Amino acid sequence: MKTTTTNSLVHQDIQQFLASSRKMLIDGKWTESASGKTFQTVNPATGKVLGHVAEGAQEDIHRAVQAARQAFDTGPWRRLSPSDRGKCMWRLADLIESHTEQLAQLESLDNGKPVTVARVADVPLAADLFRYMAGWATKIEGHTIPLSVPYTPNTRYLAYTLREPVGVVGQIIPWNFPLLMAAWKLGPALATGCTIVLKPAEQTPLSALFLGELICEAGFPDGVVNIVPGYGETAGAALAAHPHVDKVAFTGSTEVGRHIVQAATGNLKKVSLELGGKSPNLVFNDANLEAGIPGVASAIFFNHGQCCCAGSRLYVEKGIFDQVVSGVAEEAKNIKVGPGMDPTTQMGPLVSDEQQRRVLGYLESGFTEGAEAVTGGHRVGESGYFVEPTVLVNTQPTMKVVQEEIFGPVVCAVPFTDVEEVLQQANDNIYGLAAAVWTEDINKAHRIAAELKSGSVWVNCYNIFDAALPFGGYKQSGWGREMGHDALELYTEVKAVCVKT
Ligand code: ADP
């Protein structure tokens, strides 16, 4: 396994981008932090410093919120025609597309994911999201509503609703899909005419800052998008609590989601949350295993298991349990683990040493409680934050590895005998983000899809994302839906207008 990234592989633009400390974007200008502090971002494939970034904190957040406030209250953005807002977003999408290589490399260097994956998934999905949402800018409509007011029987009214932008939006995003999560957040906010302060995760601030350069180039008015990198407890907390922010949108852990909700109570800002998951993946005796085995393997191992919707609980009907487990283990063994910039790599390192320790800690706890690894179970190599793709068996429903989100390449395989039993186990979790069913019986698939308590259900597929398909969680997996038409509701207020005629 190669553990270093040769500089010659890195695009010249990215070498230049990394050569100097990156600033934050406030009111259309690239600025230092008020404290003058910077923080390091690390290449997880090597553990070595990749670059330096301005460290935003309370004062920087305040400046950014003021800029966004002014841009919303008095700036041109909200007054642009919806079509012109959409054109700006299309320009941004085109710029993302024409910088695919640069963005894919930054994502790989900062997050660890294979550059080959970022090129075909993260970057095109981000461009597509902006285009999809740009289309909505011209279609945000209210209704006309017939009234029958009982105490004014002889009066007629014209009543209608307007859908208006919610205002200044604080957006706090995680490190697992740094660019794509920025797109999921920015797209609907821009389409509806909001202004934004975006805080990327401290582990992976670089692609959002590169995106900031493209946002400036695309011609968005100053202050519409402000990007303040920094730590969660300082910059993130200040944004969630800021009294002049009208709405906060968060993607991350359920634990931090609770902090966000509490911080938002000061001015009762609107809150949307996309949180953790422990998604069940149900494989029935009648499934097509030729597609199903690689499918359930990629459900957990895609993005190194660092997906909130990772299929981390694999329930397999008894008759095919051994076949499926050995098939998934074989898939796991064949995954080429290495630095994301190596074009032959299929699985890169986890994002940080902290994440590596966390995943290894879960493995340790599983082994102590009696789980066994059919394959994997250890770190890989001495440098970088690599962990083997791992398949655990002999688990119990109450074990931490079965109940808690590991956010790493670890799947627990559990046999089941009937539909009622597997539904009970699948729904026995605090989370409800995603689930999947593998069967050739279409009636069974629909019946089970209806019974699973989760925001997404995939049938005979997994991790299928589209800008038009809403995504979000039941139970403690969150509030609201991102993407699709539903996302517009997160960023708009409804105004009822009643005119006596
Ligand atoms: P993970 O556990 O996967 O690192 P987190 O939920 O901790 O995910 O982080 C997701 C995002 O939330 C990051 O941008 C992080 O900086 C931010 N964050 C962490 N703690 C807080 C907090 N107390 N208030 C606001 N944002 C936070």
Side-chain angles (χ1 to χ4, degrees), residues 248-321:
V248 62
F250 170 77
T251 297
S253 60
T254 293
E255 186 193 342
V256 174
R258 284 187 226 286
H259 290 301
I260 302 285
V261 170
Q262 276 159 9
T265 56
N267 69 335
L268 288 178
K269 58 175 68 65
K270 313 285 182 265
V271 179
S272 55
L273 305 168
E274 201 260 273
L275 306 175
K278 189 75 183 175
S279 299
N281 208 348
L282 281 49
V283 187
F284 287 88
N285 281 341
D286 62 6
N288 169 357
L289 295 186
E290 211 177 309
I293 288 174
V296 296
S298 101
I300 179 63
F301 299 131
F302 174 66
N303 214 42
H304 328 161
Q306 299 170 130
C307 296
C308 40
C309 57
S312 51
R313 291 184 292 147
L314 174 59
Y315 295 104
V316 186
E317 199 163 0
K318 268 209 173 112
I320 53 165
F321 183 76

Side-chain angles (χ1 to χ4, degrees), residues 171-176 199-203 230-240 250-257 259-260 263 275 351 354-355 358 405 407:
Q171 302 186 319
I172 301 172
I173 56 171
W175 46 258
N176 57 343
K199 194 205 82 66
E202 53 268 42
Q203 297 86 346
Y231 291 99
E233 306 77 51
T234 50
L239 186 54
F250 170 77
T251 297
S253 60
T254 293
E255 186 193 342
V256 174
H259 290 301
I260 302 285
L275 306 175
V351 72
E354 185 188 345
Q355 192 59 18
R358 183 184 141 99
E405 183 175 45
F407 226 62

Side-chain angles (χ1 to χ4, degrees), residues 1-4 45 336-339 342 345 347-349 380-387:
M1 193 189 81
K2 283 199 223 155
T3 50
T4 53
K336 184 162 185 279
V337 179
D342 180 336
T345 288
M347 184 187 283
V380 180
E382 292 303 312
S383 61
Y385 312 131
F386 301 91
V387 172

